[in-house]
Amino acid sequence: MSQYLVKEGVKNLVKPGEKLVTTHCCYCGMQCGMHIRVNEKSGKVVGVEPRYDWPVTKGKMCPKGVTAYQTVDHKERILKPLIKKNGKFVESSWEEALDVIESNYKRLQKEYGKDSLSVFGGVSMTNEKCYLVGKYARVALGTKYIDYNGRFCMSSAAGGALKTLGIDRGSTLPWTELEHSDCFFIAGSNTAECHPTSIQWFWKAKDKGAKLIVADPRETPTARVADVHLDLKPGTDSALANGILHLLIREGYVDNQYVSERCNNFEELKESVKHWTPQLTSEITGVDKDKIIKAAHIYGMSEKSVVMFARGAEQQSKGVDNVSLYTSMALLRGQIGKFASGVATFTGQGNGQGGREHGQKSDLLPGYRKITDPEAVKYISSVWGIDPKDMPGPGVSAYEMFDEIQNGNIRAMHVMCSNPAVSAPNVEYIWEGFKKLDFMVVSDFFLSETAEFADVVLPATSWAEDEGTTTNLEGRVIRIRKVCEPLGESKTDWEIMCAIAKRMGKEPHFSYKNAREIFEEFRIATKGGKADYYGITWERIDKEDGVFWPCPSEDHPGTPTMFKEKFGTPDGKANLPAVAWKEPGEIPSSKYPHILTTGRVVFHYLSGSQTRRVDFLMEQCPVPYTEMHPELASQYNLSNGDKVKLITPRSEMILDVKLTKAIRKDTVFVPYHWGKELSVNKLTNPSLDPTSRMPEFKVCAVKIEKV
Amino acid sequence: MNKIMYLEFERCIGCRSCQAACRECGDHDAKERNYVEYVDFMESRQTFPMLCMQCKDPACARVCPANAIQITEEGVVLSAMEEKCIGCRNCTFGCPFGIPKFDFEENKMYKCDMCYDRSKHDIAPMCASVCPSDAIRFIDFDEMQALRRKRTQMNLVEGKKPQEGNKWQYVPEFFGVYSD
C-alpha cells in the first residue's frame, strides 16, 4: 500500500509509517533537492525519494546524493567525545573533553599569546556555522589564524572574479536559464562526474542545437560529448584563453559597444594578446590549431554563451590569471548581465559559495568585507559586541598555516568539518605539522584521517541533524532542514563552538539557542557588504524556492542575474586584465619527464571521509589508480592492471595502471579521495597562486617506474 | 501506465546513480537490478545503462518451469514470485540481455520490475527519476516518437548517423531505444 504526496501536480511515494523531509544533498555545490524518508515511529532516516519540484535539479541525483542518507546512521559515527590517552582514543564525557580543551587553550594563550591558537574551517557547513567559525576564532579564541579548506577549492575563482567583476558570486546567472543558452565553453571541469546533475541543462540546450566546447587534458564523460574538445596540456589554460581572446579580437567577435561602455583596460588586453596566434597557442597548449580556431568561431558566433570553469583551471599557481582570462572572454562578447549568458564556476563543496563569504578566510569578515578595512572592522565589531581594537588582523592562508606550525608560531589547531590530512597538497608536510602541534582538536562525525592526529575529537552532527541555510553554486540561498535528532551525544558545530567559547569566558557573545538566532545575527552582519544576505529570511527561501544574494532588503527580489547594469568595482566597470604567460610551478624535466594531474571520480566526494564509508560507492571505486595512454604505457612496458610507481620531488606511491586513450599521451591522472599511503596528495605541488594562495594540485612533474 | 522507458546511450555519463537508486526502490531489498557497462574503456569513456527490456515475449518467463515470472497488463515483466520460484535459474540463462540475477542466499531470482509500485501510477521508476543526464527517461509514447525523429534530424545536421547493430531489431516497440 502506497500513498502519494502531491505538490503542484508532482507525485511522490510515501510509505505507510514514514514521512518525507524536504532538504538538500550534503555534498557538492549543486545542492540537489531531495526528500529524506524518515520512520515516524523511530525517527530514523531510512531512505531517499527524488524531489521533482526543486527547480534546479528536478529530482535528479548522482550516486553520492542517492546514498547520502546512509552516512547519517552509519556504524562508524563518533557518538561520544574521544580523548587521546597514551596514543589511544578513549571515550569521555563532554565535560571532561571541554576541560581538556579549556586548560590547554588557556595554557598556550598564556605561554605563547592568543595567536598560538588556530582554526581550520570547512565549507560543507551551513552559512550559520561558517559565519560562527569566523566569530569563534576571532572573538572566542582571539586569534588571527583562521582559514579553511575552500583555500584548496574556491579561492582562485574568487580572486579572478574580484579582479575582473568586483564581486565574487560564482555564477552570474541561474542554472535554470542554461537550457536557453546556445554555447557552453567549459574549462577544467569534468561536470559529468563532479556536478552530474548539471548535465541535464546542457543536454536540454544541446537538444535545441547548442554547442559544447570543453577544455580538459582528458576526454572525460563531459568532453566525450563536446562539439570541440580542446585537449590542452595541464597548466596551460592561460595560454589557451589568451589564444581565444586573440581570435575573438582578430575575427571581429568583440561586442564593441559593451566593452567601451562597461569594461576598462581593453586596449592593454588587445596589446597583450596580439602575439597569441593559433600557432603559438597550439605550440604551448598542445591543442591542434584548427580546434582552437573552431572553438573561437563557435564561441564568437553564439549569441547567448556561458563560460564555465572549475578546479582544472583554478587549482594552479596562476589560477587567478586563468579565471580572469576566461572571464574576459565573456566580457569581450558582452555576455555578462544578460539572459542565459554569463560566466560561472562550479562550486566543489556544498556551501563553497556561502562559506567563503562570511569570514572563514584569513583576510575576510562576514559579507565579504576586508579585515584590513577599518570601517568593516568597526561595523562587524559592533555586531559582535567587541572593541574594534580587539579584532585580530589578517592571518595566513590554509597551507601557510602549516608553515606557521613549523615555525612554532601556531601551537594548537581546531579543525572543523575538514580533512586536510587528505585534501591538502604535499600532505606529508601536513602530517608533520599535525604531529608537531602541542594540542589539536577535531570536530567531525567520522574519525577522519585528520581526526586520527587529534588530542581531542568532538562528535559533530551530520547534515541531517541540524538546520540552516547554504548557498548553492548559482548563488541561491536555500534551506537545509533537520531530518532527525542528533545521534548519540553528538552536537552541532555551532553548539560545540558555543560550548568552547563559554569555557574561554566569551559566553555573552555566543548565547545562541538555535540556528535561527545565528541566522538573524548573520543577516545583520552581512548587511551592506558585497555579499548582502540581509533581505533573506527562512520563510522567503521556502516560499520562493531559494533567494539569490545580494538581497539587501526584505522587499528586494534577490539577484538571479548579476551585473545587469554595472559591475561590483568602484567605477562599476569590469576589468580586462592583460596577463603574461607563466609556466606552471613545476614543468617536466629529464628526471621527472611527465605531467601528473589529479581530480575526482563520480563516486567520491573530496577527501572521501563520508563516501568511502558508503558500501555502494566503495564497490564502484575502492582504491585510486593511475590513468595513462597506452602509448605512454608502452614506453614502460605496462599493461592494464600492472603496478606502477609514481615519483615526484616530494614523495612516491604505487598504484594500479588503468589504460585508456581518453587522456593526453604526456599526462597521467590519479583521483585524490583516499588517505595515508593511498593519498596522491603526497605527490602534489604546494606551489601557491600569488593572489589566492591556492596550491597547484593540477600540475606537477612525475617520473614513472614499473614495479 | 501510459508511459514508456526511453534510453539515449550517448547521454550516459557512467555515474551509476540508476544502480544506486534501484537499490532504494522499496521492494528491491537493496539490490540493484540494472547495470551500467563500458563500451570499451581502452578507447573511450562511453558507458550505457543496461535495463530489462521488458520484452513482449520474454524469454525469462517462457523458460520458467514454475510460471513464476508474471507479466502485468501494462506489459511489465515482474521479478519471480517468491512462492513460485524454484531457484532453477533457467531465467538467468534464457535472457539474451543478462538481466535476471540470482540471489544464492535467498535462493530466488531478482530482476527489474520497472519499479512497478511507482510506474503503475505513472511515477517514474527510481533509475529514470534520478538519472542526472536524462539518459534514462520515463515519458509518453508520443514524446518518445518526437524525440527519435528530432535526434535523427540533429544527427543529419551534425553529419552523424546512428550506428545500428542488428540487435535493435529484437527490441520491442514498448521500449523506446535510441535508434531510428
Side-chain angles (χ1 to χ4, degrees):
Chain A
M1 283 289 288
S2 306
Q3 299 161 3
Y4 303 99
L5 185 78
V6 181
K7 189 185 172 191
E8 291 165 17
V10 182
K11 289 185 276 190
N12 252 114
L13 208 64
V14 189
K15 300 220 155 148
E18 287 180 9
K19 63 173 179 179
L20 299 184
V21 181
T22 306
T23 189
H24 296 269
C25 178
C26 58
Y27 296 123
C28 79
M30 285 302 292
Q31 293 285 285
C32 303
M34 57 170 66
H35 298 295
I36 301 290
R37 284 167 49 203
V38 179
N39 183 301
E40 283 186 304
K41 218 173 198 175
S42 65
K44 294 225 178 222
V45 169
V46 291
V48 68
E49 273 290 319
R51 182 179 166 192
Y52 304 107
D53 62 332
W54 180 246
V56 190
T57 51
K58 301 182 172 180
K60 308 290 180 199
M61 283 184 271
C62 80
K64 298 184 286 287
V66 172
T67 54
Y69 77 91
Q70 293 174 15
T71 58
V72 177
D73 207 5
H74 196 279
K75 60 180 189 301
E76 289 175 36
R77 279 281 299 268
I78 309 170
L79 301 177
K80 289 188 84 170
L82 305 172
I83 299 176
K84 201 177 264 172
K85 290 177 180 164
N86 300 321
K88 280 196 171 168
F89 283 118
V90 181
E91 284 191 352
S92 78
S93 67
W94 271 97
E95 284 307 303
E96 195 187 342
L98 291 171
D99 285 344
V100 175
I101 294 170
E102 182 187 343
S103 62
N104 276 289
Y105 276 1
K106 285 186 173 165
R107 174 177 62 82
L108 290 166
Q109 280 187 337
K110 205 171 158 194
E111 279 181 46
Y112 304 102
K114 286 193 168 176
D115 286 336
S116 62
L117 308 185
S118 66
V119 177
F120 195 106
V123 283
S124 294
M125 296 186 282
T126 57
N127 285 319
E128 289 79 354
K129 291 173 188 169
C130 291
Y131 161 74
L132 208 62
V133 173
K135 184 175 174 183
Y136 165 72
R138 291 170 179 128
V139 178
L141 306 184
T143 179
K144 66 177 180 182
Y145 287 121
I146 168 174
D147 213 63
Y148 76 129
N149 62 14
R151 195 67 78 166
F152 301 149
C153 177
M154 296 309 306
S155 54
S156 284
L162 288 171
K163 198 169 169 180
T164 50
L165 310 175
I167 293 179
D168 161 34
R169 206 190 78 185
S171 173
T172 66
L173 79 164
W175 244 231
T176 43
E177 286 179 9
L178 291 179
E179 66 174 301
H180 304 289
S181 306
D182 54 17
C183 176
F184 303 99
F185 188 105
I186 302 180
S189 166
N190 179 6
T191 318
E193 291 201 71
C194 305
H195 300 87
T197 50
S198 278
I199 291 291
Q200 57 174 323
W201 295 106
F202 300 146
W203 273 111
K204 279 190 175 93
K206 249 172 105 62
D207 284 346
K208 295 180 203 159
K211 300 287 182 197
L212 178 64
I213 302 161
V214 175
D216 198 306
R218 303 160 67 216
E219 195 197 76
T220 61
T222 322
R224 180 176 60 74
V225 293
D227 296 278
V228 186
H229 172 209
L230 304 165
D231 52 343
L232 80 178
K233 203 186 280 185
T236 61
D237 287 84
S238 50
L240 178 70
N242 269 325
I244 304 261
L245 288 168
H246 167 92
L247 284 165
L248 291 180
I249 295 170
R250 194 180 83 184
E251 304 293 314
Y253 291 127
V254 177
D255 182 339
N256 288 312
Q257 195 187 346
Y258 184 94
V259 170
S260 64
E261 283 173 9
R262 302 198 56 184
C263 304
N264 288 323
N265 214 36
F266 178 56
E267 289 307 317
E268 286 85 341
L269 176 75
K270 204 169 161 182
E271 189 58 32
S272 81
V273 300
K274 214 159 93 184
H275 67 288
W276 280 102
T277 57
Q279 183 62 38
L280 175 68
T281 312
S282 171
E283 280 165 22
I284 291 183
T285 59
V287 183
D288 186 84
K289 197 172 75 179
D290 293 340
K291 287 206 281 189
I292 299 170
I293 295 169
K294 192 176 173 193
H297 278 293
I298 292 176
Y299 180 72
M301 282 194 287
S302 55
E303 283 173 14
K304 285 176 284 179
S305 59
V306 188
V307 176
M308 305 171 114
F309 37 82
R311 305 305 86 71
E314 296 160 16
Q315 286 178 332
Q316 296 181 23
S317 58
K318 50 184 186 309
V320 171
D321 288 351
N322 296 342
V323 169
S324 306
L325 289 168
Y326 283 131
T327 307
S328 298
M329 283 169 51
L331 288 167
L332 286 197
R333 287 285 304 128
Q335 294 293 327
I336 300 179
K338 263 172 56 182
F339 174 73
S341 341
V343 57
T345 180
F346 290 97
T347 319
Q349 297 187 67
N351 194 18
Q353 178 69 56
R356 71 178 183 261
E357 298 158 358
H358 305 305
Q360 282 196 86
K361 269 184 169 175
S362 57
D363 56 344
L364 287 185
L365 289 171
Y368 236 117
R369 291 178 165 92
K370 292 291 265 184
I371 204 165
T372 44
D373 172 6
E375 281 305 307
V377 171
K378 206 170 137 194
Y379 178 70
I380 297 298
S381 300
S382 72
V383 177
W384 288 353
I386 61 167
D387 190 323
K389 279 189 252 131
D390 293 336
M391 182 74 84
V396 296
S397 73
Y399 186 79
E400 290 166 307
M401 288 223 271
F402 291 88
D403 295 332
E404 296 301 324
I405 294 172
Q406 294 295 346
N407 298 338
N409 292 334
I410 292 177
R411 318 290 300 202
M413 185 177 268
H414 185 170
V415 182
M416 261 177 277
C417 192
S418 187
N419 191 9
V422 176
S423 60
N426 191 19
V427 278
E428 285 176 351
Y429 182 67
I430 306 298
W431 302 343
E432 276 171 40
F434 285 144
K435 282 183 204 154
K436 208 176 168 195
L437 284 170
D438 289 10
F439 184 63
M440 182 176 168
V441 183
V442 171
S443 328
D444 208 328
F445 59 94
F446 288 125
L447 196 69
S448 66
E449 285 78 1
T450 303
E452 288 180 23
F453 287 99
D455 297 292
V456 177
V457 180
L458 301 173
T461 51
S462 75
W463 109 107
E465 294 154 11
D466 194 17
E467 56 184 352
T469 61
T470 62
T471 309
N472 79 352
L473 82 181
E474 305 165 288
R476 189 193 296 253
V477 184
I478 58 177
R479 263 242 291 150
I480 305 295
R481 286 181 186 76
K482 186 173 178 175
V483 178
C484 58
E485 290 303 315
L487 220 62
E489 290 181 24
S490 60
K491 288 184 193 294
T492 63
D493 292 285
W494 65 265
E495 285 173 318
I496 292 171
M497 286 185 268
C498 291
I500 297 174
K502 188 177 171 186
R503 295 299 192 105
M504 300 304 283
K506 303 286 181 184
E507 193 186 7
H509 304 283
F510 290 86
S511 56
Y512 309 102
K513 289 186 201 69
N514 50 47
R516 181 130 192 175
E517 281 191 4
I518 305 171
F519 183 76
E520 292 306 320
E521 182 182 303
F522 156 77
R523 281 176 62 200
I524 296 165
T526 66
K527 191 177 179 183
K530 279 185 174 173
D532 194 335
Y533 282 52
Y534 183 67
I536 302 171
T537 62
W538 285 13
E539 288 73 24
R540 278 193 68 183
I541 294 172
D542 290 348
K543 212 169 116 192
E544 299 169 31
D545 280 337
V547 182
F548 288 83
W549 74 261
C551 182
S553 62
E554 283 188 45
D555 55 2
H556 189 283
T559 317
T561 307
M562 291 290 282
F563 312 121
K564 272 186 175 165
E565 273 116 39
K566 57 176 190 156
F567 292 97
T569 49
D571 66 355
K573 285 188 168 188
N575 294 313
L576 293 166
V579 177
W581 160 248
K582 282 194 292 261
E583 292 278 7
E586 200 171 87
I587 51 171
S589 59
S590 54
K591 197 170 177 197
Y592 301 102
H594 309 291
I595 305 170
L596 168 68
T597 191
T598 64
R600 288 195 197 185
V601 293
V602 67
F603 307 109
H604 293 292
Y605 173 70
L606 303 187
S607 74
S609 181
Q610 295 170 75
T611 52
R612 279 186 278 120
R613 289 177 163 90
V614 175
D615 291 343
F616 177 82
L617 301 174
M618 269 307 260
E619 282 166 24
Q620 310 307 321
C621 189
V623 284
Y625 49 85
T626 180
E627 231 173 62
M628 64 172 80
H629 196 279
E631 273 186 35
L632 175 61
S634 68
Q635 286 178 33
Y636 297 92
N637 200 19
L638 290 163
S639 309
N640 220 359
D642 281 354
K643 295 262 183 228
V644 71
K645 189 189 268 182
L646 297 185
I647 307 161
T648 71
R650 289 154 294 281
S651 190
E652 57 185 49
M653 69 187 296
I654 294 174
L655 293 154
D656 287 347
V657 172
K658 206 167 175 181
L659 296 186
T660 177
K661 287 181 185 163
I663 187 169
R664 284 182 63 86
K665 289 170 192 168
D666 55 6
T667 303
V668 294
F669 166 85
V670 183
Y672 71 91
H673 310 283
W674 290 263
K676 299 178 183 173
E677 71 277 9
L678 296 178
S679 178
V680 72
N681 275 326
K682 287 198 293 185
L683 312 183
T684 48
N685 185 6
S687 175
L688 301 181
D689 181 286
T691 313
S692 68
R693 318 307 289 164
M694 164 93 94
E696 190 151 54
F697 290 95
K698 285 290 182 271
V699 202
C700 67
V702 68
K703 182 174 156 184
I704 296 170
E705 274 179 15
K706 188 174 179 175
V707 179
Chain B
M1 192 197 313
N2 301 315
K3 295 189 172 175
I4 56 123
M5 294 288 270
Y6 178 77
L7 302 186
E8 206 167 311
F9 289 179
E10 193 184 9
R11 292 185 186 229
C12 180
I13 55 173
C15 72
R16 291 175 167 78
S17 61
C18 51
Q19 284 179 233
C22 186
R23 291 182 174 202
E24 294 300 317
C25 193
D27 55 355
H28 287 188
D29 296 331
K31 283 192 180 71
E32 68 258 34
R33 297 161 177 214
N34 50 10
Y35 315 97
V36 173
E37 309 283 355
Y38 276 100
V39 175
D40 180 356
F41 187 82
M42 290 280 275
E43 289 295 325
S44 117
R45 288 176 218 276
Q46 176 73 66
T47 45
F48 62 94
M50 194 66 218
L51 308 187
C52 173
M53 300 287 158
Q54 310 292 345
C55 301
K56 262 184 181 169
D57 186 10
C60 59
R62 279 171 67 185
V63 299
C64 177
N67 202 20
I69 302 171
Q70 301 290 303
I71 303 160
T72 70
E73 57 187 24
E74 298 91 348
V76 174
V77 184
L78 297 176
S79 202
M81 290 170 74
E82 208 171 328
E83 58 274 32
K84 284 189 178 175
C85 178
I86 56 171
C88 70
R89 296 200 285 145
N90 266 2
C91 50
T92 64
F93 304 129
C95 172
F97 304 104
I99 295 298
K101 292 283 181 284
F102 196 73
D103 181 338
F104 286 91
E105 279 174 18
E106 298 284 323
N107 198 37
K108 66 176 185 191
M109 169 274 239
Y110 59 99
K111 71 171 280 296
C112 166
D113 58 359
M114 255 180 87
C115 293
Y116 188 59
D117 57 347
R118 292 164 190 273
S119 53
K120 72 180 169 191
H121 296 293
D122 281 352
I123 301 177
M126 282 298 273
C127 55
S129 292
V130 302
C131 178
S133 59
D134 273 338
I136 309 171
R137 273 179 272 188
F138 186 66
I139 52 176
D140 293 330
F141 186 83
D142 293 343
E143 197 181 344
M144 179 269 278
Q145 292 286 46
L147 272 168
R148 287 172 66 163
R149 274 195 293 277
K150 195 168 175 185
R151 174 55 61 190
T152 310
Q153 286 164 3
M154 292 301 292
N155 285 334
L156 283 171
V157 170
E158 292 163 12
K160 283 192 287 187
K161 195 177 178 302
Q163 296 291 307
E164 289 183 45
N166 287 341
K167 68 178 174 180
W168 301 126
Q169 290 171 9
Y170 300 97
V171 178
E173 282 168 26
F174 180 77
F175 214 77
V177 179
Y178 163 36
S179 76
D180 199 5

